[in-house]
């Protein structure tokens, strides 16, 4: 409304300074005034239009801003969901990997088993000697590579219960037999005194709980002696019963 008043005043001002004003006749002035009034009315109508448009534009801008706000909100919601999804996907991937590993390992304990005899060619009389470790050189099987036929030592690859068996053979001139040793400590053995009966053979077995890295080997008694050839009289075997 202020704008309109201003406009009217301006028009009035213009008409007052218009050249020749006051020198016209009454008729002329009336005509002139009614022409001006008409003009003013037209301008007022235009002004109303402008005001209407302006408020329409304002309303549109409000709606546009609301739409922009809504889009911004939705965009950040989508971003949040994407992040959440990614987190879930990472967890899902990890879980899938675990399940795969479990599947692969289920019903499939580590495969550990070995069997060896003392001689891998010819004949061997072992003992009496200072290095009493029996090195069983001829390998029948060594799944899991726990047994080393260079040292005669079995090293447990995993924690578990293990079964060991061994047999020793020899002649009556010496103590015949051997001792199963775990980490330097004697466990079970075979033994036969020197006697008149020509040859001796005996065997034994044990179940041991071993931790990964524990070592088991066989050794002679003091002054003991064992014999072997390719008949496999003197042997050492072991396997994992189950992991613990
Ligand atoms: C619309 O948003 C613009 C930019 O943020 C702002 O300048 C304007 O004042 C807003 N209009 C309305 C009607 O809220
Ligand atoms: C999940 O695994 C799939 C298929 O291997 C891979 O394409 C995707 O990038 C992984 N996602 C994440 C978040 O690690
Ligand atoms: C260990 O066993 C392997 C396979 O039977 C054999 O080839 C190798 O000669 C053995 N090592 C020794 C020191 O006898």
């Amino acid at each position: 409304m202020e704008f309109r008043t201003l406009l009217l005043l301006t028009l009035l001002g213009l008409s007052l300074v218009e050249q020749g004003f006051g020198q016209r006749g009454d008729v002329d002035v009336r005509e002139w005034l009614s022409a001006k009034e008409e003009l003013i009315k037209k301008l007022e109508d235009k002004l109303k239009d402008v005001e209407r448009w302006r408020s329409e534009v304002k309303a549109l801008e409000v709606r546009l801003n609301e739409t922009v706000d809504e889009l911004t909100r939705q965009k950040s919601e989508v971003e949040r969901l994407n992040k959440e999804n990614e987190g879930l996907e990472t967890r899902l991937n990890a879980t899938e990997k675990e399940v795969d590993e479990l599947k692969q390992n289920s019903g499939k304990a580590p495969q550990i088993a070995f069997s060896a005899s003392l001689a891998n060619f010819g004949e061997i009389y072992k003992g009496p000697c200072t290095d009493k470790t029996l090195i069983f050189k001829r390998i029948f099987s060594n799944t899991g590579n726990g047994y080393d036929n260079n040292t005669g030592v079995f090293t447990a690859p995993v924690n578990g219960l293990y079964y060991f068996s061994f047999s020793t053979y020899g002649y009556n001139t010496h103590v015949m037999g051997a001792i199963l040793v775990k980490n330097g400590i004697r466990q079970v053995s075979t033994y036969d005194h020197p006697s008149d009966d020509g040859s001796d053979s005996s065997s034994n077995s044990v179940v041991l709980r071993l931790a990964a890295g524990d070592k088991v080997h066989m050794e002679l008694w003091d002054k003991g002696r064992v014999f072997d050839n390719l008949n496999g009289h003197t042997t050492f075997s072991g396997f994992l019963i189950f992991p613990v």
Side-chain angles (χ1 to χ4, degrees):
M1 287 313 255
E2 246 174 52
F3 179 67
R4 202 177 63 166
T5 317
L6 206 66
L7 189 70
L8 284 171
L9 285 173
T10 309
L11 283 172
L12 196 64
L14 280 175
S15 54
L16 283 174
V17 297
E18 196 167 334
Q19 259 188 351
F21 184 77
Q23 290 169 14
R24 300 174 189 230
D26 280 353
V27 176
D28 278 347
V29 171
R30 232 180 289 132
E31 269 175 13
W32 183 87
L33 272 176
S34 83
K36 290 297 174 199
E37 257 170 33
E38 212 166 292
L39 183 63
I40 286 172
K41 191 163 178 336
K42 272 186 188 161
L43 282 171
E44 273 181 342
D45 287 350
K46 281 266 181 292
L47 205 60
K48 269 188 200 139
D49 281 349
V50 167
E51 268 169 13
R52 209 180 57 242
W53 292 336
R54 193 190 273 169
S55 75
E56 272 173 18
V57 166
K58 182 92 181 163
L60 279 176
E61 194 186 327
V62 167
R63 283 175 57 195
L64 183 66
N65 278 9
E66 280 171 6
T67 309
V68 167
D69 286 352
E70 178 64 14
L71 277 179
T72 310
R73 205 185 57 72
Q74 284 187 8
K75 196 175 151 210
S76 74
E77 178 68 4
V78 165
E79 274 166 8
R80 194 186 64 74
L81 285 174
N82 270 346
K83 262 204 198 100
E84 198 175 287
N85 229 11
E86 208 173 297
L88 285 175
E89 200 178 295
T90 305
R91 283 174 55 194
L92 182 67
N93 280 5
T95 308
E96 269 177 355
K97 200 169 153 230
E98 257 171 51
V99 168
D100 278 352
E101 281 169 5
L102 282 176
K103 260 194 217 156
Q104 277 176 0
N105 293 334
S106 74
K108 200 170 144 193
Q111 298 183 325
I112 299 160
F114 76 94
S115 196
S117 67
L118 202 61
N120 60 359
F121 61 86
E123 296 188 329
I124 286 185
Y125 289 91
K126 169 83 178 173
C129 52
T130 45
D131 179 10
K132 297 197 283 285
T133 298
L134 291 173
I135 301 177
F136 297 81
K137 292 185 187 275
R138 184 180 175 199
I139 288 184
F140 295 103
S141 58
N142 191 16
T143 303
N145 287 317
Y147 179 69
D148 182 348
N149 69 344
N150 291 303
T151 60
V153 175
F154 172 79
T155 305
V158 298
N159 298 348
L161 271 119
Y162 291 79
Y163 179 87
F164 293 95
S165 72
F166 53 96
S167 68
T168 48
Y169 178 87
Y171 296 100
N172 57 1
T173 49
H174 292 82
V175 165
M176 196 292 296
I179 308 154
L180 184 142
V181 180
K182 169 189 164 185
N183 293 339
I185 298 166
R186 294 175 168 188
Q187 308 288 319
V188 294
S189 62
T190 54
Y191 190 93
D192 208 306
H193 287 287
S195 54
D196 295 335
D197 56 358
S199 66
D200 301 310
S201 182
S202 62
S203 63
N204 205 345
S205 60
V206 66
V207 171
L208 291 177
R209 184 178 180 136
L210 301 182
D214 280 353
K215 294 185 184 308
V216 174
H217 74 276
M218 302 294 310
E219 63 186 37
L220 289 172
W221 292 104
D222 278 345
K223 302 188 182 104
R225 171 187 265 189
V226 293
F227 170 81
D228 196 28
N229 59 19
L230 288 182
N231 289 331
H233 297 291
T234 298
T235 60
F236 179 37
S237 304
F239 57 85
L240 173 70
I241 305 171
F242 51 81
V244 289

